[in-house]
Amino acid sequence: MMLGAAVHTHNLRQGIDPGLSANQRTAVMARIWREERNFWISVLTFVLWGLLYRFYVLMLEHLRLKDRIGELEAKASGPAAAATKESSGGKGAQEAASGK
């Protein structure tokens, strides 16, 4: 689509008749300018959609990896945290009973 617009604009530039009046030439040049403007707007839009899609994919990957890190940390600290709670929990209960 964009390639077709570029070819069409090029063909318009090549087809400007030198025998046109000033008003006709201005009308042709205005049409060429509008078509070039539309071409560059469409290119910019296409690039921005591509960047937005890539950012979205990176964001999803970041969230997936963040969840995976949380799972691995929980798995790694699970047995150690349980052992620590048991050992400190016993002391804490004894201190609470003795009033310390």
Side-chain angles (χ1 to χ4, degrees):
M1 175 124 183
M2 287 186 283
L3 182 60
V7 170
H8 180 68
T9 303
H10 177 72
N11 289 340
L12 282 176
R13 280 196 179 276
Q14 299 303 318
I16 295 178
D17 185 18
L20 294 176
S21 69
N23 287 339
Q24 291 172 330
R25 185 171 176 80
T26 302
V28 170
M29 294 300 288
R31 181 177 175 195
I32 291 171
W33 183 85
R34 284 190 303 271
E35 290 192 14
E36 286 179 353
R37 177 202 62 195
N38 292 344
F39 170 78
W40 288 112
I41 289 171
S42 65
V43 167
L44 178 64
T45 303
F46 180 74
V47 168
L48 289 177
W49 272 109
L51 288 172
L52 181 63
Y53 175 74
R54 183 63 186 147
F55 178 74
Y56 176 73
V57 169
L58 287 173
M59 185 181 68
L60 289 179
E61 184 178 354
H62 171 74
L63 292 174
R64 184 183 59 79
L65 291 173
K66 192 174 178 181
D67 289 342
R68 180 72 176 140
I69 288 171
E71 291 171 3
L72 292 174
E73 286 176 346
K75 188 177 180 181
S77 66
T84 305
K85 285 181 183 177
E86 289 175 10
S87 64
S88 67
K91 289 180 185 177
Q94 289 172 353
E95 290 175 359
S98 65
K100 292 183 181 179

